[in-house]
């Protein structure tokens, strides 16, 4: 369209759009240096095992300590990094940082934890991804089953053959696979048959009103049953109330994650909370 318009294109650019474009370019330039300057940090959000009220795993969520703008959430830079391709290097850093963390936790109250890292579909473009993960685990002497990767359903829509190959190799290594934001992704269910999936994470949008809306309750129960019949475990995302937790427990959901249990927190804070048993206060909730 811009081409057709030729020299008149400028009229479509408002000042606001120019500002945004300038900001985007600036942010991309900062992003190019963020790894070298060691500005990324992982926060960890615990997942509560509803069978025994133990924290068995945590999700690693990236933040960027920007030199001028403060601590930025992923939404402010991950989409940009996916566009530019920098996501590949960021993803490698995330995997390495998670493996180092697992190694550092040896001998602490966190030593049994599994870490789940998020990967963008774009990161599966990297042919060396699986080799890199294997080497990161080996370098830190961490068993592969202490690591989990979370991918959204987008990977079942495009480059399916390639993605199946990558994920099968990863699964053979022993790394667990979770489908993130399950239920909002426009993909078919057939892939649950074809891909080596260990966990489904029910999207927060179904959980928010699960105790108020009949249809959300029906969908959540159906997903739990579907997953269990396929031998897949279920995590509920975005659990914020005791009522939601009780509902999920009653319907045999395996794990719960959300602000009710804990927000994503820095590693030091997690270690303190685990050592003091602070995250286990939810054990007192008995729904039956
Ligand atoms: P996600 O993987 O679905 O992560 C869950 C998001 O929901 C996190 O936001 C988390 O802070 C938030 N959350 C957790 N519990 C609750 C709750 O009870 N209520 C509400 N309202 N929100 C809750 P965050 O950390 O901003 O991450 C956003 C997304 O960014 C993630 O969604 C994930 O898709 C992406 N992301 C995070 N870290 C990475 C990474 O290292 N690599 C890649 N490629 N993507 C990442
Ligand atoms: Mg996730
Ligand atoms: Mg999610
Ligand atoms: Mg989500």
């Amino acid at each position: 369209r811009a081409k057709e318009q030729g020299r008149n294109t400028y009229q479509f650019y408002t000042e606001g759009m120019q500002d945004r474009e300038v900001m985007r370019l600036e942010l991309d330039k900062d992003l190019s240096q963020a790894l070298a300057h060691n500005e990324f940090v992982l926060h960890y959000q615990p997942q509560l095992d509803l069978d025994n009220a133990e924290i068995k795993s945590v999700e690693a969520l990236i933040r960027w300590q920007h030199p001028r703008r403060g601590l930025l959430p992923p939404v402010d830079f991950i989409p940009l990094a996916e566009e530019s391709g920098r996501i590949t290097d960021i993803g490698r850093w995330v995997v390495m940082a998670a493996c180092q963390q697992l190694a550092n936790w040896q001998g602490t109250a966190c030593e049994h934890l599994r870490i789940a890292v998020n990967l963008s579909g774009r990161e599966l473009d990297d042919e060396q991804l699986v080799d890199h993960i294997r080497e990161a685990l080996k370098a830190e002497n961490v068993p592969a089953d202490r690591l989990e990767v979370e991918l959204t359903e987008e990977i079942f829509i495009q480059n399916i053959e390639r993605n199946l190959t990558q994920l099968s190799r990863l699964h053979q290594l022993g790394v667990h696979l979770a489908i993130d934001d399950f239920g909002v992704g426009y993909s078919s269910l057939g892939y649950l048959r074809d891909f080596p999936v260990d966990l489904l994470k029910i999207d927060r949008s179904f959980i928010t009103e699960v105790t108020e809306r009949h249809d959300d309750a029906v969908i959540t129960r159906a997903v739990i049953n579907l997953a269990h019949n396929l031998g897949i475990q279920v995590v509920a995302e975005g659990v914020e109330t005791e009522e939601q937790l009780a509902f999920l427990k009653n319907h045999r959901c395996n794990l719960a994650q959300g602000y009710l249990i804990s927000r994503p927190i820095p590693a030091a804070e997690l270690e303190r909370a685990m050592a003091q048993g602070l995250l286990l206060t939810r054990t007192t909730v008995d729904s039956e």
Side-chain angles (χ1 to χ4, degrees), residues 142-275:
V142 171
D145 67 1
R146 299 284 302 286
L147 193 69
E148 194 169 290
V149 301
E150 297 190 2
L151 291 141
T152 57
E153 293 169 277
E154 67 175 322
I155 61 154
F156 305 121
I157 297 170
Q158 268 184 0
N159 302 319
I160 299 171
E161 289 289 312
R162 200 269 323 267
N163 292 345
L164 180 58
T165 306
Q166 293 270 63
L167 294 184
S168 300
R169 288 179 62 208
L170 204 51
H171 197 252
Q172 253 163 18
L173 252 190
V175 174
H176 291 229
L177 301 180
I179 304 305
D180 208 347
D181 305 341
F182 183 77
V184 295
Y186 306 102
S187 65
S188 82
L189 290 174
Y191 67 77
L192 291 179
R193 181 190 53 205
D194 304 328
F195 279 70
V197 175
D198 299 291
L199 282 121
L200 286 188
K201 299 190 73 177
I202 305 180
D203 191 68
R204 175 158 62 88
S205 59
F206 297 107
I207 305 301
T208 305
E209 296 182 278
V210 77
T211 56
E212 284 124 53
R213 285 185 53 168
H214 178 66
D215 46 7
D216 282 339
V218 169
I219 290 168
T220 298
R221 273 171 12 220
V223 170
I224 293 170
N225 288 331
L226 170 72
H228 285 174
N229 288 329
L230 291 168
I232 296 172
Q233 292 217 317
V234 184
V235 185
E237 293 191 300
V239 178
E240 296 186 354
T241 70
E242 299 284 357
E243 292 73 24
Q244 290 163 358
L245 190 69
F247 175 95
L248 293 162
K249 218 176 147 186
N250 275 336
H251 292 97
R252 301 277 176 271
C253 184
N254 303 96
L255 298 148
Q257 182 180 348
Y259 293 170
L260 176 68
I261 296 131
S262 168
R263 291 188 175 247
I265 47 179
E269 212 175 306
L270 179 74
E271 287 158 29
R272 217 173 314 125
M274 287 295 289

Side-chain angles (χ1 to χ4, degrees), residues 1-9:
R1 165 126 201 157
K3 255 196 180 130
E4 287 166 31
Q5 298 285 333
R7 294 183 331 141
N8 292 329
T9 311

Side-chain angles (χ1 to χ4, degrees), residues 42 45 59-63 73-75 78 82 87 90-91 94 117-120 123 150 152 180-181 201 203-204 237-240 257-260 262 264:
L42 295 180
Q45 187 177 35
E59 177 175 6
L61 295 153
I62 196 170
R63 275 92 182 90
V75 66
I78 290 290
E82 285 172 351
I87 191 68
I90 294 174
V94 169
V117 298
N118 291 279
L119 294 184
S120 307
E123 295 179 62
E150 297 190 2
T152 57
D180 208 347
D181 305 341
K201 299 190 73 177
D203 191 68
R204 175 158 62 88
E237 293 191 300
V239 178
E240 296 186 354
Q257 182 180 348
Y259 293 170
L260 176 68
S262 168

